[in-house]
Amino acid sequence: NRIISRVPEVRSYDAADSKICISFLAERLSLTNLEIKKKLVLRLPQVLGYDYKNDIKPSLDLLQKRMDLDDEELSALILKCPQIIGLEYEQNLEPKIQAVLEEVGLDLDIAKSEILRKPSLLQLTPRGAAKGSA
C-alpha cells in the first residue's frame, strides 16, 4: 500500500479514531469522500492519526479568523495544501502569515489573496512527519 510505504506509523493508528477525524474534517470543510481520499489522505496520511478536536480544529479556527477566510476559501486552501491542517497555528502558521503580511505592506487582503493563490507560502513539516517528508 502506497500510504503505508510512505508513512509506516499509519498501521498503529486506531481505525475508529481515524474515522472520527476524517468525518469531522469532511463536515467542517464540506468535502466529498473522493476529496478526502485523493486530496487529504493520499497527500497527508498523518491526518489519520490526528485528533480533530485537539490537533486540527483549533488551528483551522485560528487560521480562518486571522485571514478572514469564509468557509469556501478555507476549504479551497486546505485542498490546495492539505499539509496546512498538520501545522500548529501558533508555532508554524502565524509566523508565516505575518511574514507574508510584512512582504505586502501589512495589507491583509493582499496577503490573503497571495496565500490563497500560493498556499505553499505557509507550508512546513506537519506534526507527526519526518523532517523533509512534507
Side-chain angles (χ1 to χ4, degrees), residues 32-101:
T32 66
N33 285 338
L34 187 61
E35 288 170 325
I36 288 286
K37 181 180 176 184
K38 291 196 175 230
K39 303 278 184 165
L40 286 184
V41 175
L42 286 177
R43 291 171 63 195
L44 184 71
Q46 297 90 337
V47 73
L48 297 172
Y50 293 164
D51 176 325
Y52 177 81
K53 289 181 180 171
N54 293 316
D55 296 335
I56 298 172
K57 185 182 184 319
S59 289
L60 285 182
D61 290 348
L62 288 167
L63 175 64
Q64 185 170 25
K65 183 177 179 180
R66 174 68 168 101
M67 289 187 53
D68 193 28
L69 300 169
D70 62 31
D71 290 343
E72 191 174 303
E73 289 168 329
L74 179 64
S75 184
L77 180 63
I78 299 304
L79 287 175
K80 285 181 185 174
C81 188
Q83 292 82 354
I84 289 171
I85 63 173
L87 299 175
E88 294 177 9
Y89 182 83
E90 302 285 333
Q91 290 179 331
N92 303 122
L93 291 172
E94 178 57 32
K96 288 293 188 181
I97 293 169
Q98 190 59 41
V100 173
L101 271 166

